Amino acid sequence: MQTTKMKQDVKPIDCSHYINGNYVPSKNGQTFENINPATEEVLGVVAQGGKQEVDQAVTAARKALKGEWGDMPIRQRSAIVRKIGDLILERKSELATLETLDTGKPLWLSNKIDIERAAYNFHFFADYMTSVGTESYQQDDIAIHYAVRRPTGVVGLINPWNLPLLLMTWKLAPALAAGNAVVMKPSEETPMTATILAEICTEAGVPDGVVNMVHGFGETGAAITSHEQVDAIAFTGETITGSAIMQSAAPTLKKLSFELGGKNPNIIFADADLDDVIETTMKSSFINQGEVCLCGSRIYVERSIYDQFLERFVEKTKALKVGDPFDETTNVGALVSKEHYQKVLSYLDIAKEEGGTFLTGGKASDMEKGFFVEPTIITDLGRESRCVREEIFGPVVTVVPFDTEEEVLEQVNDTHYGLSASLWTSDIKRATRLSAQIEAGMVWVNTWFLRDLRTPFGGMKHSGIGREGGMHSFDFYSELTNVTVKL
Ligand code: NAD
């Protein structure tokens, strides 16, 4: 494989914390290495923050809530939020390159999804914030009641590595739109684009101390979630981490928003348009190396088209190109880290032990370096299989035939996850009937990953608490005071 250096001129960056408008190292000078998952080379070093840095960041944020930011007219704040989106687009090529170096995902994908959407998150909320109102009721001739909206306060934003900039901006944009100050903690695996985002915010006109960032591992996150001066935590990551955060935030009764893991079903009926099904299932299975919380990793296919579906799905999957993320013909890049790569490979061993049949893939790819796994399709696994029940978060799907609507619904809901589902049928009555019964926060009918940022985004059961998007985000990032005026 050619090295990435031969193909791009953007240099990886060392990552410092960002506190009160300045890049700062850790007080004790502690750092850790940032590794390129496609080459295993060291990209640079990252400051490792602890309680002290979190405390400084929270103090700066608390102070910034008052003064210029707190007093800013909404149109001015909206212009700043919009400008952040503009500046992200201006630095698109640099940000996309850094995202690909950090995550191992194909560069075309970083450009097309991650950076474009990151900018749009700001543009969307810059518009949205100018039209948000509150409730008001006239109670006969007795009283008028109206609600006053104010920022939640200092919010901790803690994020995973799979869509680093996109997911950070999905929280930061509404948090700023609603007037909060934040302490961000990007994933230790993918710190570079968030580091640039911090300086972009300052350049756009965000006053010092409103946006702070502390790098580090889980302990750094825990210092944020347990800090008594932090009012709320918006977290995206693993279900088990969400549970730990809930415990750590309990003594200070923080407001929580959780976007957690998923084990999402694709349900394909024989009356669906099979061309569409195949094209979309390729994406929902393998885009971003299968490292998207919304990926459909349990595929249920009506028995009468099971063989036909598999034949076409396997053929297309075999044709996917795994390799250099900077090669524009690459479909599937590297998994994010050695640890995650080993986790995904361990599930392939489990599938073998459980008697699964591999129709393609089933092993690491034969790249000399890097954490690459071949796109994998497994059949013949029972519903108790760990590969069917647990989140693998890699390019691995299981396919299971079904005979009846009742049977498939029962299997689909037999999980403690409840994030999303993709349902394929041309029968509109069946689509509406099943959509209402599938235990998931989002159901796509004859599509997948189609988003409108006004709609509620999030999971039920162990896949999340609360919803993001449009008014749902705004409600999380603001508090309401009801005022009653006696007439
Ligand atoms: P993770 O939970 O391991 O880490 C996420 C973040 O939490 C990281 O920044 C990490 O340092 C921090 N963290 C870890 N332990 C902590 C603690 N005790 N207190 C505070 N912070 C802590 O998740 P990951 O491996 O980075 O990401 C993959 C997971 O994210 C998958 O489960 C995936 O489904 C989920 N995800 C969900 C959504 C969604 O919208 N529902 C979107 C993307 C990813």
Side-chain angles (χ1 to χ4, degrees):
M1 189 175 110
Q2 288 178 287
T3 68
T4 53
K5 279 190 200 108
M6 293 170 69
K7 295 181 187 171
Q8 42 82 28
D9 51 14
V10 174
K11 296 250 181 315
I13 56 167
D14 288 337
C15 299
S16 304
H17 312 301
Y18 197 77
I19 299 175
N20 208 19
N22 293 301
Y23 284 118
V24 291
S26 286
K27 274 268 184 293
N28 62 9
Q30 226 176 334
T31 59
F32 60 94
E33 286 183 341
N34 183 21
I35 306 294
N36 179 339
T39 63
E40 300 179 48
E41 289 166 354
V42 176
L43 289 165
V45 292
V46 186
Q48 185 172 334
K51 278 201 162 101
Q52 217 177 349
E53 289 73 26
V54 167
D55 206 35
Q56 283 177 336
V58 174
T59 305
R62 202 82 256 156
K63 193 162 164 235
L65 274 179
K66 302 225 166 77
E68 190 189 354
W69 187 240
D71 293 339
M72 195 174 278
I74 197 154
R75 285 171 71 97
Q76 193 182 339
R77 204 166 70 224
S78 165
I80 290 175
V81 172
R82 171 168 300 286
K83 179 84 178 165
I84 299 172
D86 296 344
L87 293 175
I88 288 174
L89 288 181
E90 269 178 33
R91 295 176 74 168
K92 181 174 168 185
S93 156
E94 174 195 2
L95 287 165
T97 302
L98 294 179
E99 204 73 307
T100 286
L101 288 170
D102 246 354
T103 58
K105 72 176 71 190
L107 181 64
W108 61 262
L109 187 63
S110 294
N111 267 306
K112 192 172 151 197
I113 304 260
D114 297 69
I115 312 305
E116 289 265 329
R117 233 312 281 286
Y120 183 54
N121 286 338
F122 287 100
H123 290 157
F124 171 81
F125 278 106
D127 289 337
Y128 196 84
M129 64 189 283
T130 60
S131 62
V132 170
T134 57
E135 294 160 274
S136 143
Y137 303 97
Q138 175 156 2
Q139 187 183 9
D140 303 317
D141 58 354
I142 304 166
I144 293 173
H145 310 266
Y146 65 92
V148 177
R149 191 177 286 279
R150 64 179 79 183
T152 295
V154 174
V155 188
L157 312 180
I158 301 179
N159 268 330
W161 44 257
N162 63 325
L163 302 161
L165 190 69
L166 190 162
L167 290 176
M168 191 60 91
T169 56
W170 181 228
K171 299 188 187 322
L172 182 61
L176 294 181
N180 297 272
V182 305
V183 178
M184 310 190 279
K185 197 201 86 63
S187 168
E188 56 273 29
E189 305 289 357
T190 54
M192 291 197 287
T193 49
T195 302
I196 305 272
L197 176 65
E199 79 184 28
I200 284 180
C201 289
T202 299
E203 200 185 330
V206 175
D208 291 349
V210 172
V211 172
N212 305 278
M213 183 183 50
V214 182
H215 288 292
F217 296 84
E219 294 103 64
T220 314
I224 300 173
T225 60
S226 59
H227 200 291
E228 63 175 18
Q229 289 297 316
V230 172
D231 301 290
I233 299 292
F235 168 73
T236 298
E238 285 200 35
T239 296
I240 191 166
T241 313
S243 177
I245 290 178
M246 201 170 219
Q247 289 185 39
S248 124
T252 46
L253 287 171
K254 292 188 196 341
K255 197 173 179 184
L256 298 173
S257 159
F258 283 172
E259 301 290 354
L260 307 176
K263 186 73 185 176
N264 311 305
N266 289 13
I267 308 138
I268 301 163
F269 284 90
D271 61 1
D273 178 330
L274 198 55
D275 292 340
D276 238 10
V277 167
I278 297 289
E279 196 189 322
T280 309
T281 308
M282 292 302 296
K283 290 187 195 140
S284 71
S285 302
F286 303 121
I287 201 162
N288 208 46
Q289 301 70 244
E291 296 167 324
V292 179
C293 56
L294 304 168
C295 273
S297 52
R298 295 185 284 154
I299 302 176
Y300 297 93
V301 185
E302 194 164 7
R303 197 177 301 275
S304 60
I305 57 160
Y306 183 68
D307 291 340
Q308 200 189 348
F309 168 83
L310 276 180
E311 193 185 322
R312 292 179 62 180
F313 184 44
V314 171
E315 188 193 334
K316 282 216 166 235
T317 303
K318 281 183 174 164
L320 290 176
K321 184 170 166 189
V322 182
D324 181 357
F326 285 90
D327 179 338
E328 62 182 26
T329 62
T330 290
N331 302 109
V332 178
L335 298 186
V336 73
S337 66
K338 186 169 189 178
E339 191 190 350
H340 188 58
Y341 166 77
Q342 286 170 339
K343 177 187 155 187
V344 172
L345 290 179
S346 79
Y347 274 99
L348 301 182
D349 290 339
I350 291 169
K352 279 172 206 146
E353 282 161 25
E354 289 176 334
T357 304
F358 290 80
L359 300 186
T360 184
K363 56 184 173 58
S365 113
D366 54 7
M367 306 287 288
E368 267 171 40
K369 289 261 180 200
F371 311 127
F372 297 87
V373 172
E374 286 189 2
T376 299
I377 301 173
I378 315 173
T379 57
D380 299 326
L381 287 174
R383 63 193 288 179
E384 293 309 322
S385 151
R386 286 184 58 197
C387 294
V388 173
R389 302 190 80 80
E390 297 175 14
E391 185 183 43
I392 301 175
F393 216 54
V396 180
V397 296
T398 59
V399 190
V400 174
F402 70 86
D403 293 299
T404 67
E405 200 176 301
E406 295 70 31
E407 174 206 341
V408 74
L409 181 66
E410 208 263 316
Q411 289 196 59
V412 159
N413 286 341
D414 181 20
T415 167
H416 60 256
Y417 288 116
L419 189 56
S420 69
S422 175
L423 173 60
W424 292 84
T425 176
S426 58
D427 179 342
I428 189 71
K429 285 192 179 158
R430 171 155 60 198
T432 45
R433 186 169 60 237
L434 275 180
S435 300
Q437 294 179 81
I438 293 170
E439 292 165 1
M442 293 160 283
V443 178
W444 281 287
V445 177
N446 296 327
T447 185
W448 176 76
F449 206 61
L450 181 59
R451 295 274 297 118
D452 177 322
L453 302 191
R454 293 168 297 186
T455 60
F457 179 99
M460 55 174 71
K461 295 157 87 174
H462 288 193
S463 287
I465 295 179
R467 296 290 181 272
E468 294 183 308
M471 204 58 218
H472 302 275
S473 292
F474 237 86
D475 278 343
F476 178 75
Y477 292 106
S478 47
E479 288 289 353
L480 294 176
T481 299
N482 187 64
V483 180
T484 297
V485 181
K486 188 171 179 303
L487 295 176

